[in-house]
Amino acid sequence: MANNKSVFFNPLSKDNPVLVQILGICSVLAVTVKLEPAVVMGLSVIAVLAFSNVIISLIRNTIPTNIRIIVQLVVVAGLVVIVSELLKAYAYDVSKQLSVFIGLIITNCILMGRLEAFAMANRPWPSFLDGVGNGIGYTIILVIVAFFRELLGSGTLFGFQVVPQCFYEAGYANNGLMILPPMALIVVACIIWVHRSFNKDLQDK
Amino acid sequence: MNKQGNAYTLIYIVVLVVLVGAALAFTSISLKDRQQANADADKMRQILASVNITPANAADIISDYNTYITDSYIINEAGEKVDGDLKAFDVNVALQVKEPADKRLMPVYVCTLADGAVKYILPMYGAGLWGPIWGYISVDADGSTVYGAYFAHQGETPGLGAEIEKPAFSSQFIGKQLIKNGEFLPVAVVKAGQKPAGDEDYVDAISGATITSKGVGSMTDVCLTPYANFLKGLAAK
């Protein structure tokens, strides 16, 4: 069980897919303008990652080696379309905000990375934990970035006004740059900087 | 059986694709009604937004729509009602704007406000910088004065082109005249501080979003001009 524990907890910090493996950056840039879509995107990735890991792990011994990437893609694409359809049916507003980015989970490198590196070689239960762990690791970063971008860019959190009106009257202005993608990259870089400074073993010599 | 052989590989992929395909078909069919209901409710919300009505919560949209939108019909370029089974709500404006003006089916939504005032809501559809933009514009019973406008977009740049959906932009249209001296002139969108060549009414474009702003301008032109006869007919009443 000690092994399962590390499978689940490592991706949260020491082996975080965004901070350490630098995967899935593109969607971090795109969906972190507001917190709500960021959270939904995170949950969608957790769901797709966990289930595709389990499915691939279950059939890993039957997959012909030469088409294994195609098989992984078919499974991931199928799951992503199902998630996208579910969102359209039950969370229409959010699915409109996320627009193409739910579909682009298919191309999220975290998915192919985990399937290829973990699910193809491990049993379903550890694979499930690995999927959930990596999904949460990704979601944490998404939420942190979205928190700063929404707070500084729009003065709101989850759509509720947080920065009081008297600030604006005193001359405070929302930072328009925060809404644009480049700031997401800079925020991610700052998070990586802080993260590395606490984890000396991750620093390059 | 040899798991690396061609026959196994072929059979494997065929079975997998059929299974995944079946799962997707099942999801799509079982969720279709709900998705359509969501899309319809969203369209109703946008139509109401053009007459400055914002339903308090999602559950109120349909009842508000049924309260305020008292009639809807399809007209042609001559301003005559087109009879048929097709409902105005189901007209795909995106496809209709590609037709030449004299063949277009153009929906009109009639809104009766709480004080009894009648407004006519006209849909629009055009292209922004990154993708489609669309909107609704509501006109007073005189056929000329703009009562309200609503714009939306699929993927314009946040902070720039995406500003067209904010009231700061759309409220500029309120009070503009579409008919001047008996001539129909759609509202122009021009750079702040400038004036259009003709004497039509105009609103300020969004700085830094030239293409999206031009898209809005050409959208009002392309989509509203065919309504000219209908609106002049209202003015004559």
PDB file of all heavy atoms in Angstrom, chain B residues 111-141:
ATOM      1  N   CYS B 111     -41.986  41.618 -29.085  1.00  0.00           N
ATOM      2  CA  CYS B 111     -41.922  41.613 -27.629  1.00  0.00           C
ATOM      3  C   CYS B 111     -42.880  42.673 -27.087  1.00  0.00           C
ATOM      4  O   CYS B 111     -42.881  43.818 -27.549  1.00  0.00           O
ATOM      5  CB  CYS B 111     -40.487  41.926 -27.203  1.00  0.00           C
ATOM      6  SG  CYS B 111     -40.325  42.280 -25.471  1.00  0.00           S
ATOM      7  N   THR B 112     -43.708  42.285 -26.138  1.00  0.00           N
ATOM      8  CA  THR B 112     -44.595  43.252 -25.496  1.00  0.00           C
ATOM      9  C   THR B 112     -44.143  43.420 -24.059  1.00  0.00           C
ATOM     10  O   THR B 112     -44.193  42.482 -23.271  1.00  0.00           O
ATOM     11  CB  THR B 112     -46.052  42.770 -25.534  1.00  0.00           C
ATOM     12  OG1 THR B 112     -46.345  42.352 -26.868  1.00  0.00           O
ATOM     13  CG2 THR B 112     -47.000  43.884 -25.127  1.00  0.00           C
ATOM     14  N   LEU B 113     -43.657  44.606 -23.739  1.00  0.00           N
ATOM     15  CA  LEU B 113     -43.124  44.844 -22.398  1.00  0.00           C
ATOM     16  C   LEU B 113     -44.249  45.007 -21.390  1.00  0.00           C
ATOM     17  O   LEU B 113     -45.427  45.111 -21.749  1.00  0.00           O
ATOM     18  CB  LEU B 113     -42.244  46.094 -22.412  1.00  0.00           C
ATOM     19  CG  LEU B 113     -40.983  45.984 -23.275  1.00  0.00           C
ATOM     20  CD1 LEU B 113     -40.235  47.288 -23.272  1.00  0.00           C
ATOM     21  CD2 LEU B 113     -40.087  44.865 -22.768  1.00  0.00           C
ATOM     22  N   ALA B 114     -43.874  45.055 -20.131  1.00  0.00           N
ATOM     23  CA  ALA B 114     -44.868  45.142 -19.057  1.00  0.00           C
ATOM     24  C   ALA B 114     -45.752  46.374 -19.205  1.00  0.00           C
ATOM     25  O   ALA B 114     -46.936  46.350 -18.863  1.00  0.00           O
ATOM     26  CB  ALA B 114     -44.140  45.163 -17.714  1.00  0.00           C
ATOM     27  N   ASP B 115     -45.188  47.485 -19.745  1.00  0.00           N
ATOM     28  CA  ASP B 115     -45.992  48.709 -19.895  1.00  0.00           C
ATOM     29  C   ASP B 115     -46.780  48.723 -21.203  1.00  0.00           C
ATOM     30  O   ASP B 115     -47.355  49.739 -21.573  1.00  0.00           O
ATOM     31  CB  ASP B 115     -45.094  49.950 -19.798  1.00  0.00           C
ATOM     32  CG  ASP B 115     -44.017  49.966 -20.876  1.00  0.00           C
ATOM     33  OD1 ASP B 115     -43.999  49.033 -21.716  1.00  0.00           O
ATOM     34  OD2 ASP B 115     -43.200  50.896 -20.897  1.00  0.00           O
ATOM     35  N   GLY B 116     -46.776  47.620 -21.953  1.00  0.00           N
ATOM     36  CA  GLY B 116     -47.576  47.528 -23.168  1.00  0.00           C
ATOM     37  C   GLY B 116     -46.848  47.955 -24.431  1.00  0.00           C
ATOM     38  O   GLY B 116     -47.361  47.783 -25.534  1.00  0.00           O
ATOM     39  N   ALA B 117     -45.635  48.519 -24.285  1.00  0.00           N
ATOM     40  CA  ALA B 117     -44.869  48.944 -25.457  1.00  0.00           C
ATOM     41  C   ALA B 117     -44.454  47.717 -26.267  1.00  0.00           C
ATOM     42  O   ALA B 117     -44.107  46.682 -25.702  1.00  0.00           O
ATOM     43  CB  ALA B 117     -43.641  49.729 -25.018  1.00  0.00           C
ATOM     44  N   VAL B 118     -44.525  47.861 -27.591  1.00  0.00           N
ATOM     45  CA  VAL B 118     -44.178  46.747 -28.472  1.00  0.00           C
ATOM     46  C   VAL B 118     -42.803  46.997 -29.092  1.00  0.00           C
ATOM     47  O   VAL B 118     -42.539  48.092 -29.588  1.00  0.00           O
ATOM     48  CB  VAL B 118     -45.242  46.580 -29.579  1.00  0.00           C
ATOM     49  CG1 VAL B 118     -44.833  45.483 -30.551  1.00  0.00           C
ATOM     50  CG2 VAL B 118     -46.592  46.262 -28.956  1.00  0.00           C
ATOM     51  N   LYS B 119     -41.937  45.989 -29.021  1.00  0.00           N
ATOM     52  CA  LYS B 119     -40.601  46.087 -29.616  1.00  0.00           C
ATOM     53  C   LYS B 119     -40.447  44.936 -30.606  1.00  0.00           C
ATOM     54  O   LYS B 119     -41.004  43.863 -30.405  1.00  0.00           O
ATOM     55  CB  LYS B 119     -39.499  45.959 -28.546  1.00  0.00           C
ATOM     56  CG  LYS B 119     -39.711  46.825 -27.329  1.00  0.00           C
ATOM     57  CD  LYS B 119     -39.492  48.280 -27.609  1.00  0.00           C
ATOM     58  CE  LYS B 119     -39.905  49.110 -26.398  1.00  0.00           C
ATOM     59  NZ  LYS B 119     -40.059  50.522 -26.747  1.00  0.00           N
ATOM     60  N   TYR B 120     -39.671  45.183 -31.660  1.00  0.00           N
ATOM     61  CA  TYR B 120     -39.408  44.142 -32.648  1.00  0.00           C
ATOM     62  C   TYR B 120     -37.949  43.742 -32.549  1.00  0.00           C
ATOM     63  O   TYR B 120     -37.055  44.586 -32.616  1.00  0.00           O
ATOM     64  CB  TYR B 120     -39.736  44.657 -34.051  1.00  0.00           C
ATOM     65  CG  TYR B 120     -41.200  44.976 -34.196  1.00  0.00           C
ATOM     66  CD1 TYR B 120     -41.693  46.238 -33.856  1.00  0.00           C
ATOM     67  CD2 TYR B 120     -42.102  44.005 -34.624  1.00  0.00           C
ATOM     68  CE1 TYR B 120     -43.043  46.518 -33.965  1.00  0.00           C
ATOM     69  CE2 TYR B 120     -43.450  44.274 -34.720  1.00  0.00           C
ATOM     70  CZ  TYR B 120     -43.917  45.540 -34.385  1.00  0.00           C
ATOM     71  OH  TYR B 120     -45.250  45.800 -34.469  1.00  0.00           O
ATOM     72  N   ILE B 121     -37.716  42.445 -32.380  1.00  0.00           N
ATOM     73  CA  ILE B 121     -36.344  41.960 -32.199  1.00  0.00           C
ATOM     74  C   ILE B 121     -35.874  41.264 -33.469  1.00  0.00           C
ATOM     75  O   ILE B 121     -36.563  40.377 -33.984  1.00  0.00           O
ATOM     76  CB  ILE B 121     -36.265  40.995 -31.005  1.00  0.00           C
ATOM     77  CG1 ILE B 121     -36.763  41.690 -29.749  1.00  0.00           C
ATOM     78  CG2 ILE B 121     -34.845  40.486 -30.813  1.00  0.00           C
ATOM     79  CD1 ILE B 121     -36.951  40.759 -28.586  1.00  0.00           C
ATOM     80  N   LEU B 122     -34.711  41.682 -33.967  1.00  0.00           N
ATOM     81  CA  LEU B 122     -34.175  41.125 -35.205  1.00  0.00           C
ATOM     82  C   LEU B 122     -32.836  40.450 -34.917  1.00  0.00           C
ATOM     83  O   LEU B 122     -31.979  41.039 -34.260  1.00  0.00           O
ATOM     84  CB  LEU B 122     -33.952  42.250 -36.226  1.00  0.00           C
ATOM     85  CG  LEU B 122     -35.070  43.300 -36.317  1.00  0.00           C
ATOM     86  CD1 LEU B 122     -34.669  44.421 -37.249  1.00  0.00           C
ATOM     87  CD2 LEU B 122     -36.366  42.662 -36.786  1.00  0.00           C
ATOM     88  N   PRO B 123     -32.658  39.224 -35.391  1.00  0.00           N
ATOM     89  CA  PRO B 123     -31.389  38.527 -35.151  1.00  0.00           C
ATOM     90  C   PRO B 123     -30.326  38.924 -36.168  1.00  0.00           C
ATOM     91  O   PRO B 123     -30.644  39.333 -37.290  1.00  0.00           O
ATOM     92  CB  PRO B 123     -31.762  37.055 -35.321  1.00  0.00           C
ATOM     93  CG  PRO B 123     -32.905  37.071 -36.260  1.00  0.00           C
ATOM     94  CD  PRO B 123     -33.637  38.378 -36.087  1.00  0.00           C
ATOM     95  N   MET B 124     -29.056  38.806 -35.751  1.00  0.00           N
ATOM     96  CA  MET B 124     -27.934  39.105 -36.643  1.00  0.00           C
ATOM     97  C   MET B 124     -26.891  38.005 -36.494  1.00  0.00           C
ATOM     98  O   MET B 124     -26.807  37.354 -35.456  1.00  0.00           O
ATOM     99  CB  MET B 124     -27.288  40.439 -36.266  1.00  0.00           C
ATOM    100  CG  MET B 124     -28.201  41.625 -36.365  1.00  0.00           C
ATOM    101  SD  MET B 124     -27.400  43.101 -35.739  1.00  0.00           S
ATOM    102  CE  MET B 124     -27.425  42.818 -33.995  1.00  0.00           C
ATOM    103  N   TYR B 125     -26.093  37.840 -37.531  1.00  0.00           N
ATOM    104  CA  TYR B 125     -25.025  36.840 -37.488  1.00  0.00           C
ATOM    105  C   TYR B 125     -23.918  37.293 -38.431  1.00  0.00           C
ATOM    106  O   TYR B 125     -24.193  37.705 -39.548  1.00  0.00           O
ATOM    107  CB  TYR B 125     -25.572  35.480 -37.941  1.00  0.00           C
ATOM    108  CG  TYR B 125     -24.582  34.355 -37.786  1.00  0.00           C
ATOM    109  CD1 TYR B 125     -24.569  33.600 -36.619  1.00  0.00           C
ATOM    110  CD2 TYR B 125     -23.669  34.049 -38.785  1.00  0.00           C
ATOM    111  CE1 TYR B 125     -23.663  32.571 -36.461  1.00  0.00           C
ATOM    112  CE2 TYR B 125     -22.761  33.024 -38.625  1.00  0.00           C
ATOM    113  CZ  TYR B 125     -22.771  32.284 -37.471  1.00  0.00           C
ATOM    114  OH  TYR B 125     -21.864  31.264 -37.305  1.00  0.00           O
ATOM    115  N   GLY B 126     -22.686  37.242 -37.977  1.00  0.00           N
ATOM    116  CA  GLY B 126     -21.579  37.669 -38.835  1.00  0.00           C
ATOM    117  C   GLY B 126     -20.274  37.054 -38.374  1.00  0.00           C
ATOM    118  O   GLY B 126     -20.259  36.092 -37.599  1.00  0.00           O
ATOM    119  N   ALA B 127     -19.161  37.633 -38.835  1.00  0.00           N
ATOM    120  CA  ALA B 127     -17.853  37.077 -38.519  1.00  0.00           C
ATOM    121  C   ALA B 127     -17.010  38.095 -37.765  1.00  0.00           C
ATOM    122  O   ALA B 127     -16.980  39.267 -38.121  1.00  0.00           O
ATOM    123  CB  ALA B 127     -17.137  36.663 -39.801  1.00  0.00           C
ATOM    124  N   GLY B 128     -16.350  37.651 -36.710  1.00  0.00           N
ATOM    125  CA  GLY B 128     -15.413  38.491 -35.985  1.00  0.00           C
ATOM    126  C   GLY B 128     -14.013  38.180 -36.442  1.00  0.00           C
ATOM    127  O   GLY B 128     -13.782  37.846 -37.603  1.00  0.00           O
ATOM    128  N   LEU B 129     -13.065  38.272 -35.531  1.00  0.00           N
ATOM    129  CA  LEU B 129     -11.677  37.984 -35.904  1.00  0.00           C
ATOM    130  C   LEU B 129     -11.405  36.484 -35.889  1.00  0.00           C
ATOM    131  O   LEU B 129     -10.849  35.927 -36.816  1.00  0.00           O
ATOM    132  CB  LEU B 129     -10.727  38.714 -34.934  1.00  0.00           C
ATOM    133  CG  LEU B 129      -9.241  38.383 -35.059  1.00  0.00           C
ATOM    134  CD1 LEU B 129      -8.715  38.727 -36.438  1.00  0.00           C
ATOM    135  CD2 LEU B 129      -8.443  39.148 -34.019  1.00  0.00           C
ATOM    136  N   TRP B 130     -11.805  35.803 -34.805  1.00  0.00           N
ATOM    137  CA  TRP B 130     -11.454  34.391 -34.649  1.00  0.00           C
ATOM    138  C   TRP B 130     -12.592  33.451 -35.003  1.00  0.00           C
ATOM    139  O   TRP B 130     -12.369  32.258 -35.209  1.00  0.00           O
ATOM    140  CB  TRP B 130     -11.030  34.097 -33.204  1.00  0.00           C
ATOM    141  CG  TRP B 130      -9.891  34.924 -32.746  1.00  0.00           C
ATOM    142  CD1 TRP B 130      -9.925  35.858 -31.757  1.00  0.00           C
ATOM    143  CD2 TRP B 130      -8.544  34.920 -33.230  1.00  0.00           C
ATOM    144  NE1 TRP B 130      -8.689  36.433 -31.612  1.00  0.00           N
ATOM    145  CE2 TRP B 130      -7.830  35.877 -32.499  1.00  0.00           C
ATOM    146  CE3 TRP B 130      -7.892  34.198 -34.235  1.00  0.00           C
ATOM    147  CZ2 TRP B 130      -6.476  36.129 -32.734  1.00  0.00           C
ATOM    148  CZ3 TRP B 130      -6.552  34.457 -34.456  1.00  0.00           C
ATOM    149  CH2 TRP B 130      -5.863  35.407 -33.715  1.00  0.00           C
ATOM    150  N   GLY B 131     -13.790  33.941 -34.987  1.00  0.00           N
ATOM    151  CA  GLY B 131     -14.913  33.053 -35.250  1.00  0.00           C
ATOM    152  C   GLY B 131     -16.182  33.857 -35.391  1.00  0.00           C
ATOM    153  O   GLY B 131     -16.144  35.084 -35.515  1.00  0.00           O
ATOM    154  N   PRO B 132     -17.323  33.155 -35.367  1.00  0.00           N
ATOM    155  CA  PRO B 132     -18.584  33.859 -35.565  1.00  0.00           C
ATOM    156  C   PRO B 132     -18.928  34.814 -34.423  1.00  0.00           C
ATOM    157  O   PRO B 132     -18.539  34.603 -33.272  1.00  0.00           O
ATOM    158  CB  PRO B 132     -19.613  32.740 -35.659  1.00  0.00           C
ATOM    159  CG  PRO B 132     -18.954  31.538 -35.099  1.00  0.00           C
ATOM    160  CD  PRO B 132     -17.492  31.710 -35.267  1.00  0.00           C
ATOM    161  N   ILE B 133     -19.633  35.885 -34.775  1.00  0.00           N
ATOM    162  CA  ILE B 133     -20.249  36.751 -33.784  1.00  0.00           C
ATOM    163  C   ILE B 133     -21.726  36.840 -34.144  1.00  0.00           C
ATOM    164  O   ILE B 133     -22.085  36.604 -35.297  1.00  0.00           O
ATOM    165  CB  ILE B 133     -19.621  38.165 -33.761  1.00  0.00           C
ATOM    166  CG1 ILE B 133     -19.653  38.785 -35.161  1.00  0.00           C
ATOM    167  CG2 ILE B 133     -18.201  38.127 -33.256  1.00  0.00           C
ATOM    168  CD1 ILE B 133     -19.171  40.221 -35.197  1.00  0.00           C
ATOM    169  N   TRP B 134     -22.573  37.093 -33.171  1.00  0.00           N
ATOM    170  CA  TRP B 134     -23.995  37.194 -33.483  1.00  0.00           C
ATOM    171  C   TRP B 134     -24.637  38.120 -32.469  1.00  0.00           C
ATOM    172  O   TRP B 134     -23.974  38.574 -31.523  1.00  0.00           O
ATOM    173  CB  TRP B 134     -24.663  35.815 -33.481  1.00  0.00           C
ATOM    174  CG  TRP B 134     -24.586  35.107 -32.181  1.00  0.00           C
ATOM    175  CD1 TRP B 134     -25.539  35.134 -31.192  1.00  0.00           C
ATOM    176  CD2 TRP B 134     -23.540  34.263 -31.706  1.00  0.00           C
ATOM    177  NE1 TRP B 134     -25.129  34.354 -30.126  1.00  0.00           N
ATOM    178  CE2 TRP B 134     -23.917  33.824 -30.413  1.00  0.00           C
ATOM    179  CE3 TRP B 134     -22.319  33.848 -32.231  1.00  0.00           C
ATOM    180  CZ2 TRP B 134     -23.106  32.984 -29.652  1.00  0.00           C
ATOM    181  CZ3 TRP B 134     -21.526  33.011 -31.462  1.00  0.00           C
ATOM    182  CH2 TRP B 134     -21.924  32.598 -30.194  1.00  0.00           C
ATOM    183  N   GLY B 135     -25.884  38.405 -32.677  1.00  0.00           N
ATOM    184  CA  GLY B 135     -26.534  39.308 -31.738  1.00  0.00           C
ATOM    185  C   GLY B 135     -27.990  39.500 -32.081  1.00  0.00           C
ATOM    186  O   GLY B 135     -28.505  38.929 -33.054  1.00  0.00           O
ATOM    187  N   TYR B 136     -28.654  40.264 -31.248  1.00  0.00           N
ATOM    188  CA  TYR B 136     -30.054  40.615 -31.465  1.00  0.00           C
ATOM    189  C   TYR B 136     -30.178  42.105 -31.236  1.00  0.00           C
ATOM    190  O   TYR B 136     -29.541  42.667 -30.344  1.00  0.00           O
ATOM    191  CB  TYR B 136     -30.956  39.852 -30.494  1.00  0.00           C
ATOM    192  CG  TYR B 136     -30.915  38.362 -30.719  1.00  0.00           C
ATOM    193  CD1 TYR B 136     -29.960  37.566 -30.082  1.00  0.00           C
ATOM    194  CD2 TYR B 136     -31.806  37.747 -31.593  1.00  0.00           C
ATOM    195  CE1 TYR B 136     -29.891  36.209 -30.313  1.00  0.00           C
ATOM    196  CE2 TYR B 136     -31.754  36.399 -31.831  1.00  0.00           C
ATOM    197  CZ  TYR B 136     -30.799  35.624 -31.184  1.00  0.00           C
ATOM    198  OH  TYR B 136     -30.732  34.274 -31.424  1.00  0.00           O
ATOM    199  N   ILE B 137     -31.012  42.751 -32.042  1.00  0.00           N
ATOM    200  CA  ILE B 137     -31.223  44.174 -31.872  1.00  0.00           C
ATOM    201  C   ILE B 137     -32.724  44.400 -31.795  1.00  0.00           C
ATOM    202  O   ILE B 137     -33.482  43.777 -32.533  1.00  0.00           O
ATOM    203  CB  ILE B 137     -30.534  44.952 -33.023  1.00  0.00           C
ATOM    204  CG1 ILE B 137     -30.364  46.418 -32.663  1.00  0.00           C
ATOM    205  CG2 ILE B 137     -31.262  44.781 -34.337  1.00  0.00           C
ATOM    206  CD1 ILE B 137     -29.281  47.105 -33.478  1.00  0.00           C
ATOM    207  N   SER B 138     -33.153  45.220 -30.858  1.00  0.00           N
ATOM    208  CA  SER B 138     -34.590  45.445 -30.732  1.00  0.00           C
ATOM    209  C   SER B 138     -34.906  46.877 -31.150  1.00  0.00           C
ATOM    210  O   SER B 138     -34.151  47.809 -30.869  1.00  0.00           O
ATOM    211  CB  SER B 138     -35.053  45.182 -29.303  1.00  0.00           C
ATOM    212  OG  SER B 138     -34.410  46.051 -28.408  1.00  0.00           O
ATOM    213  N   VAL B 139     -36.020  47.013 -31.863  1.00  0.00           N
ATOM    214  CA  VAL B 139     -36.395  48.294 -32.469  1.00  0.00           C
ATOM    215  C   VAL B 139     -37.778  48.682 -31.949  1.00  0.00           C
ATOM    216  O   VAL B 139     -38.653  47.830 -31.792  1.00  0.00           O
ATOM    217  CB  VAL B 139     -36.416  48.158 -34.010  1.00  0.00           C
ATOM    218  CG1 VAL B 139     -36.734  49.488 -34.654  1.00  0.00           C
ATOM    219  CG2 VAL B 139     -35.090  47.622 -34.508  1.00  0.00           C
ATOM    220  N   ASP B 140     -37.944  49.976 -31.693  1.00  0.00           N
ATOM    221  CA  ASP B 140     -39.242  50.468 -31.233  1.00  0.00           C
ATOM    222  C   ASP B 140     -40.311  50.275 -32.308  1.00  0.00           C
ATOM    223  O   ASP B 140     -40.000  50.001 -33.463  1.00  0.00           O
ATOM    224  CB  ASP B 140     -39.140  51.968 -30.901  1.00  0.00           C
ATOM    225  CG  ASP B 140     -38.540  52.202 -29.529  1.00  0.00           C
ATOM    226  OD1 ASP B 140     -38.437  51.213 -28.766  1.00  0.00           O
ATOM    227  OD2 ASP B 140     -38.162  53.348 -29.225  1.00  0.00           O
ATOM    228  N   ALA B 141     -41.561  50.494 -31.919  1.00  0.00           N
ATOM    229  CA  ALA B 141     -42.672  50.312 -32.847  1.00  0.00           C
ATOM    230  C   ALA B 141     -42.619  51.299 -34.006  1.00  0.00           C
ATOM    231  O   ALA B 141     -43.295  51.101 -35.015  1.00  0.00           O
ATOM    232  CB  ALA B 141     -43.994  50.445 -32.097  1.00  0.00           C
TER     233      ALA B 141
END
